[in-house]
Amino acid sequence: MKLLMKIGVLAHRDIQNTLQTWQKTADYLTTELSEYDFTIVPLNFTQIGAAIEQNAVEFVIASPGIYVEFEALYGVNRLATLKQLRMGRAYTMFGGVIFCNAHCDNIQSLTDLRGKNFVAVAENSFGGWRSAWREIVEAGINPYRDFQSLQFTNSHDAVIYAIGEGKADAGTISTNVLEQMALEGKVDLKNFKIINQQTQYGEKFPFALSTQLYPEWPFAVTQETPSQLAEQVAIALLKLPKDHPAAKAAKSEGWTIPLNYQSFHECFQVLQVHPYKDFGKTTSSFELAVKGSNDGLWDWNLETNEVFFSNRWKEMLGYAEAEIPNLFQEWKQRLHPDDSDRVLTTFRQYFEGQLSTYEQEYRLQHRNGNYLWVLCRGILLRDVWNKPYRMAGSHTDITRRKQAEEELRESELQLKTQTQNLRQALKELQQTQMQLIHSEKMSSLGQLVAGIAHEINNPANFIYGNLNYLEEYVQGLLNIVQTFQQCYPQPLNAVQIAMEKFELGFVSNDLPRLLNSMRVGSERIRDIVHSLRNFSRLDEAEIKAVNIHEGIENTLLILQHRLQRNSHKPTIILNKEYGNLPIVDCSPGQLNQVFMNILSNAIDALEKTITHQPNNFIPTITIRTNVIDNRWVLIYIADNGLGMSEETKLRVFDPFFTTKPVGQGTGLGLSISYQIVVERHSGKLDFFSEPGKGTEFQIKLPLCRELVS
């Protein structure tokens, strides 16, 4: 069976309208949180306070002015703030508009309102009176004393018509009402003049505005509701799509993170209205008003230098009410030494008008000697001559939050360290894996090449070694034949027939040429075997003096078949521009592997280019060598293929990265080449590539430098 969760909603109009506006929100929450059944409970102004006090509802939706009363009296806590639709756009803030007739020349600022007839919506309307009342009070005017008259119409429209018809000198309404009525064709904005116009918000709030901005309606949770459920509801509200039926019914685009409603507390403190009636005076009504609030309150009369600290303010520091005198110095001496200069500087800047708001975090000393973190907010009141005469605000204990932040920072640092260690371990694992694969591959390749070379070498040597004897025997036989022909110029008919049939004359001339061709072929086989042995280098020391050109030539000999023309591609032109290179100490087998990897990639790139280029494309590989500053040997290997993309260039030396199809490349060639050149030979391996213009690799080896072991 589902648990019933009641949402108390302020029915500021009627029950039916309240249900139409909010029932779909309850239905949405029931769908999102399947263990619960949410229902809307419409409550009037009298009922809603009693319901919260008696824990008859788990959640509450109310106007922000009503909410801050419940926050102070009953400890309710906001979960989200409504994104109210106004003229097709969503806003989370609102305020008040103070205005007069456009032709009224004797009202230019708030101070000109003294002695004027003023009209507002309702005495408990925040947008239609209290937000403007605060601005008027802070301008040094007491509207109940300094106005010629103050009337309430209970309607925004009636206020506008009263100004337009000259029944009042000035008035106030909530933001965006003027623009809405103008859109409906009921009024012309040119007929009105905005007083104390606020333009600092620009396009973020494009409506006429005379006051501060205040947050919209909150969705709040009562004290007895489980925190886990509150978190689930908050998450569901923030997930509500802006086009969901629940959002449309509430004339909104859903909900956003809970905004700070301290500005309402500050406004009510300035106005000294419920729940801050007689704020700053130690009266029983004030104590009742702040009972249940978790914040410590303070009120500083700058004219008398008296400071009021609430009981909660003193309790936060571990003191009873009578144990701390009401003096400014009591606060100042408890500031943490590391925070004192910063706090006092910010305090001074706010007094001097350099800061528009006062809010900062710092540490105060507890009675037990420890320090607790507080969030301090305050507001400064100035008279008509801009002289400060009063400052009030609150302290919120944020020690747990600070501790949590510190623990989070430490956890993040540990996580960052662990992540770095894991990345390093992964990199080392990849390198180890790559080296194992490379070692196994090169070992197998070297053994295969050496085995093939050995197997070919034995019969090749046998053939080559016997060619001299064969040539000697053949020549002897030819000499005997010639001697026989000289002694018997007229051979027998049978011999003559056999000689003609055998074509003795042709054979005598062609046989030496045949023997010479066999000698050239066997020498070619011996050269190939020699190149294979040189390329594998299994029978030589790992580090030795090497002729770089010999290594390049050996590699080219092995790749010769890939350079030649076939049915799929033309011959790849090979340009060799060799400089005069000295002998270099290096690991020849590994260096040959670098040449093999780079040249093989160049051939692959050209073969791919041939399929994308016109028939007149001439695939070319250029190899250049020279010496730089008598310190470095440079080997350039370039192709005129398609080149590399920017993404490929960023990862070209990464282990296991390849642009070839699966099964045609391991992604180890260039990574291994980089290790061989840079780590084993203390050299450099760079490349330059541009799409459509080919790729050039530059191998830079030191002439006189000990190799890294």
Side-chain angles (χ1 to χ4, degrees):
M1 183 177 180
K2 293 186 176 182
L3 296 176
L4 181 63
M5 292 295 141
K6 298 178 181 178
I7 305 174
V9 180
L10 177 64
H12 62 295
R13 293 180 64 182
D14 57 69
I15 293 177
Q16 186 61 34
N17 181 270
T18 300
L19 292 174
Q20 289 176 354
T21 303
W22 297 111
Q23 184 57 49
K24 292 186 185 302
T25 298
D27 296 340
Y28 166 75
L29 291 175
T30 299
T31 302
E32 290 292 310
L33 282 69
S34 57
E35 299 177 20
Y36 304 95
D37 187 6
F38 290 84
T39 184
I40 298 297
V41 181
L43 300 167
N44 61 30
F45 286 90
T46 302
Q47 295 170 333
I48 193 167
I52 296 174
E53 184 178 18
Q54 297 167 12
N55 296 314
V57 295
E58 285 75 27
F59 299 94
V60 61
I61 302 175
S63 64
I66 297 296
Y67 161 74
V68 295
E69 291 186 25
F70 298 157
E71 187 180 58
L73 294 174
Y74 308 119
V76 300
N77 192 16
R78 60 198 179 278
L79 298 179
T81 295
L82 189 66
K83 296 161 65 175
Q84 185 73 50
L85 275 177
R86 292 193 181 95
M87 299 181 68
R89 288 179 57 184
Y91 297 90
T92 59
M93 307 289 282
F94 75 102
V97 181
I98 306 172
F99 65 106
C100 64
N101 194 288
H103 304 293
C104 183
D105 296 329
N106 62 346
I107 301 179
Q108 302 296 331
S109 66
L110 294 177
T111 55
D112 297 329
L113 294 176
R114 282 191 175 93
K116 301 299 190 293
N117 295 310
F118 198 90
V119 61
V121 177
E123 198 162 11
N124 63 349
S125 170
F126 192 86
W129 169 237
R130 286 183 171 178
S131 60
W133 181 13
R134 176 184 183 177
E135 303 296 327
I136 294 169
V137 168
E138 292 181 348
I141 301 173
N142 183 340
Y144 292 94
R145 180 190 64 201
D146 299 333
F147 283 172
Q148 177 70 32
S149 66
L150 175 61
Q151 299 178 355
F152 297 100
T153 65
N154 291 317
S155 165
H156 288 79
D157 295 20
V159 172
I160 296 173
Y161 291 138
I163 302 298
E165 296 169 2
K167 296 179 180 179
D169 299 312
T172 184
I173 56 175
S174 186
T175 48
N176 119 281
V177 176
L178 270 175
E179 290 84 356
Q180 184 64 40
M181 290 187 66
L183 186 65
E184 295 170 357
K186 296 180 179 179
V187 297
D188 188 344
L189 294 179
K190 295 179 181 179
N191 295 331
F192 304 99
K193 177 170 60 179
I194 308 303
I195 304 169
N196 198 41
Q197 174 79 1
Q198 305 294 307
T199 60
Q200 66 269 33
Y201 302 105
E203 288 301 316
K204 293 182 179 179
F205 197 84
F207 307 109
L209 179 69
S210 304
T211 70
Q212 295 184 35
L213 285 177
Y214 297 87
E216 274 287 358
W217 281 45
F219 193 110
V221 59
T222 58
Q223 275 190 323
E224 299 298 322
T225 304
S227 58
Q228 183 178 4
L229 172 59
E231 291 175 2
Q232 292 175 326
V233 170
I235 293 171
L237 291 174
L238 296 178
K239 286 169 50 181
L240 178 68
K242 65 179 181 180
D243 56 352
H244 193 278
K248 293 180 178 179
K251 297 180 180 179
S252 71
E253 286 191 357
W255 302 85
T256 187
I257 58 174
L259 301 186
N260 188 342
Y261 288 79
Q262 180 64 23
S263 55
F264 280 95
H265 289 281
E266 294 168 352
C267 179
F268 291 170
Q269 290 168 9
V270 171
L271 301 179
Q272 294 191 353
V273 296
H274 187 74
Y276 294 100
K277 187 173 178 59
D278 298 324
F279 177 73
K281 301 178 182 179
T282 54
T283 63
S284 57
S285 60
F286 171 78
E287 292 297 336
L288 180 62
V290 300
K291 183 179 180 181
S293 172
N294 201 37
D295 292 346
L297 307 178
W298 51 272
D299 187 4
W300 183 15
N301 189 327
L302 301 177
E303 295 175 341
T304 65
N305 206 32
E306 292 178 338
V307 180
F308 166 78
F309 300 114
S310 70
N311 286 345
R312 174 60 185 154
W313 191 96
K314 297 175 182 179
E315 289 173 2
M316 287 165 59
L317 299 178
Y319 294 94
E321 179 181 2
E323 290 181 324
I324 296 183
N326 290 327
L327 299 174
F328 176 80
Q329 189 64 25
E330 292 295 325
W331 165 79
K332 185 177 179 181
Q333 69 182 10
R334 289 175 171 79
L335 282 172
H336 193 287
D338 294 342
D339 300 338
S340 180
D341 290 343
R342 171 179 58 84
V343 171
L344 294 177
T345 298
T346 304
F347 202 75
R348 175 180 53 79
Q349 291 173 339
Y350 180 64
F351 261 71
E352 294 174 354
Q354 299 178 34
L355 300 175
S356 58
T357 59
Y358 180 75
E359 179 176 319
Q360 57 178 331
E361 298 176 356
Y362 52 83
R363 288 163 286 185
L364 288 176
Q365 190 173 34
H366 193 273
R367 185 172 189 169
N368 61 14
N370 296 327
Y371 284 88
L372 73 153
W373 278 94
V374 298
L375 169 62
C376 179
R377 302 185 184 94
I379 185 170
L380 185 66
L381 305 183
R382 302 176 185 272
D383 59 20
V384 69
W385 299 278
N386 204 37
K387 178 183 178 182
Y389 65 88
R390 184 178 177 184
M391 187 173 183
S394 64
H395 280 172
T396 304
D397 187 348
I398 59 171
T399 304
R400 289 186 178 179
R401 193 197 83 192
K402 283 291 185 178
Q403 291 172 345
E405 290 175 355
E406 182 61 29
E407 292 173 357
L408 179 60
R409 278 192 294 269
E410 293 178 358
S411 298
E412 289 176 346
L413 180 60
Q414 292 176 358
L415 181 59
K416 184 177 180 181
T417 302
Q418 292 174 353
T419 302
Q420 291 175 343
N421 292 338
L422 287 173
R423 286 177 178 170
Q424 182 63 29
L426 178 60
K427 182 178 179 181
E428 293 174 356
L429 179 61
Q430 287 180 332
Q431 290 179 345
T432 302
Q433 183 182 16
M434 179 181 66
Q435 291 170 356
L436 288 173
I437 294 174
H438 173 59
S439 298
E440 182 65 24
K441 178 180 178 182
M442 289 307 299
S443 176
S444 300
L445 178 61
Q447 292 174 7
L448 176 63
V449 170
I452 292 173
H454 177 74
E455 292 300 324
I456 296 175
N457 191 51
N458 287 336
N461 284 337
F462 174 79
I463 294 171
Y464 186 80
N466 286 310
L467 280 175
N468 291 329
Y469 299 106
L470 179 61
E471 186 176 11
E472 182 181 343
Y473 298 158
V474 170
Q475 188 62 45
L477 291 173
L478 289 176
N479 289 338
I480 292 173
V481 171
Q482 291 175 357
T483 302
F484 179 80
Q485 287 178 329
Q486 292 173 0
C487 294
Y488 297 95
Q490 297 298 324
L492 297 176
N493 288 336
V495 174
Q496 182 67 35
I497 293 172
M499 289 173 56
E500 291 176 356
K501 185 176 181 180
F502 183 64
E503 297 181 352
L504 180 61
F506 172 78
V507 172
S508 298
N509 292 329
D510 189 57
L511 191 54
R513 290 195 293 269
L514 178 61
L515 289 172
N516 187 59
S517 296
M518 292 173 66
R519 184 182 299 278
V520 171
S522 62
E523 288 177 350
R524 175 65 173 167
I525 293 173
R526 291 183 67 196
D527 291 341
I528 292 174
V529 170
H530 181 70
S531 296
L532 289 173
R533 291 170 62 86
N534 284 343
F535 182 82
S536 65
R537 297 287 186 173
L538 290 181
D539 58 347
E540 299 180 6
E542 184 177 0
I543 297 174
K544 60 175 292 184
V546 174
N547 184 331
I548 296 294
H549 292 154
E550 181 180 330
I552 296 175
E553 289 299 323
N554 289 333
T555 306
L556 289 173
L557 183 61
I558 295 174
L559 292 172
Q560 186 65 36
H561 69 287
R562 297 197 61 193
L563 299 172
Q564 295 173 351
R565 177 187 183 91
N566 59 35
S567 59
H568 302 293
K569 67 175 178 64
T571 300
I572 296 177
I573 303 301
L574 192 62
N575 293 331
K576 292 186 284 189
E577 303 172 10
Y578 290 167
N580 186 17
L581 298 186
I583 299 300
V584 179
D585 286 336
C586 67
S587 175
Q590 291 187 349
L591 203 56
N592 287 345
Q593 181 65 23
V594 174
F595 298 149
M596 175 67 77
N597 289 335
I598 295 177
L599 285 168
S600 295
N601 284 345
I603 294 172
D604 290 341
L606 291 174
E607 290 177 345
K608 184 177 180 181
T609 305
I610 289 169
T611 63
H612 294 84
Q613 293 287 359
N615 294 331
N616 59 358
F617 171 69
I618 302 176
T620 305
I621 293 177
T622 301
I623 305 175
R624 268 193 334 272
T625 63
N626 55 34
V627 177
I628 302 295
D629 299 331
N630 291 321
R631 296 176 55 223
W632 301 92
V633 168
L634 263 70
I635 303 108
Y636 301 82
I637 301 176
D639 66 73
N640 63 340
L642 291 174
M644 303 183 194
S645 66
E646 292 300 322
E647 179 183 359
T648 300
K649 287 194 288 185
L650 291 174
R651 302 187 59 191
V652 71
F653 292 127
D654 288 354
F656 306 106
F657 172 75
T658 179
T659 59
K660 298 174 184 177
V662 176
Q664 296 186 19
T666 63
L668 293 176
L670 290 178
S671 177
I672 291 171
S673 299
Y674 187 87
Q675 285 191 339
I676 291 173
V677 174
V678 177
E679 298 179 13
R680 282 286 299 153
H681 290 79
S682 300
K684 297 180 180 179
L685 180 58
D686 298 317
F687 72 94
F688 303 92
S689 183
E690 187 174 344
K693 296 187 178 180
T695 301
E696 179 182 273
F697 279 87
Q698 296 183 3
I699 305 168
K700 191 174 183 182
L701 301 173
L703 282 175
C704 300
R705 184 181 180 91
E706 292 185 0
L707 296 179
V708 178
S709 60

